[in-house]
Amino acid sequence: MSHSRLNNPRVSRARSALANRVKHKPRHAFCAAKAITALLGELASLTNRQLYWSGSSDMAVMSIQHDVNVWCRDGRFFWTDFFRGGAVSHPASDPVGAAALLNPFASIPETSYSQHRRALSGLAAA
């Protein structure tokens, strides 16, 4: 004996109708992982340090150095610029321009940036 829900034609029609209503992204939709890897390729030529990234088609993140992460979502790159004092947003369709804006972060060696942050935190504590 089978269960009444397993072979019920009404249930199978309802499931197929639900499956037809599910919307899929078009093939030309924005892919955050592709945009972040394009930015990674631009920044890799500027620095010899290891750059890390992770993500999916909806959202991706890349770590440039300690405390500097670039997020890509909804067709834009986002990061916090400590030197200009705020959050920065840049179109993801322009990874070359974003790399030019991120160049100070990529070109500063990690040790000197960490020493700079420690000096600033010492001034703030005093």
Side-chain angles (χ1 to χ4, degrees):
M1 283 211 69
S2 65
H3 195 272
S4 61
R5 290 187 195 162
L6 293 178
N7 295 325
N8 189 342
R10 290 183 185 164
V11 172
S12 64
R13 273 186 258 140
R15 284 185 186 152
S16 63
L18 179 64
N20 290 334
R21 283 193 311 232
V22 173
K23 301 296 180 192
H24 299 285
K25 288 186 177 183
R27 291 184 187 187
H28 61 277
F30 172 74
C31 182
K34 289 181 182 179
I36 212 85
T37 54
L39 179 61
L40 179 78
E42 293 294 327
L43 288 174
S45 63
L46 300 174
T47 183
N48 58 357
R49 283 184 287 132
Q50 185 76 23
L51 300 173
Y52 302 96
W53 77 276
S54 178
S56 65
S57 62
D58 294 331
M59 186 175 72
V61 65
M62 178 175 64
S63 177
I64 296 176
Q65 66 181 26
H66 185 68
D67 287 342
V68 180
N69 297 318
V70 178
W71 297 85
C72 184
R73 183 174 174 213
D74 296 332
R76 299 198 66 81
F77 293 120
F78 301 98
W79 68 90
T80 302
D81 192 340
F82 297 113
F83 302 118
R84 295 182 187 149
V88 177
S89 173
H90 192 78
S93 60
D94 182 25
V96 176
L101 291 173
L102 287 164
N103 189 10
F105 295 119
S107 61
I108 295 174
E110 185 72 30
T111 56
S112 67
Y113 178 73
S114 299
Q115 291 169 357
H116 174 73
R117 293 278 293 176
R118 276 191 238 118
L120 286 178
S121 66
L123 291 175

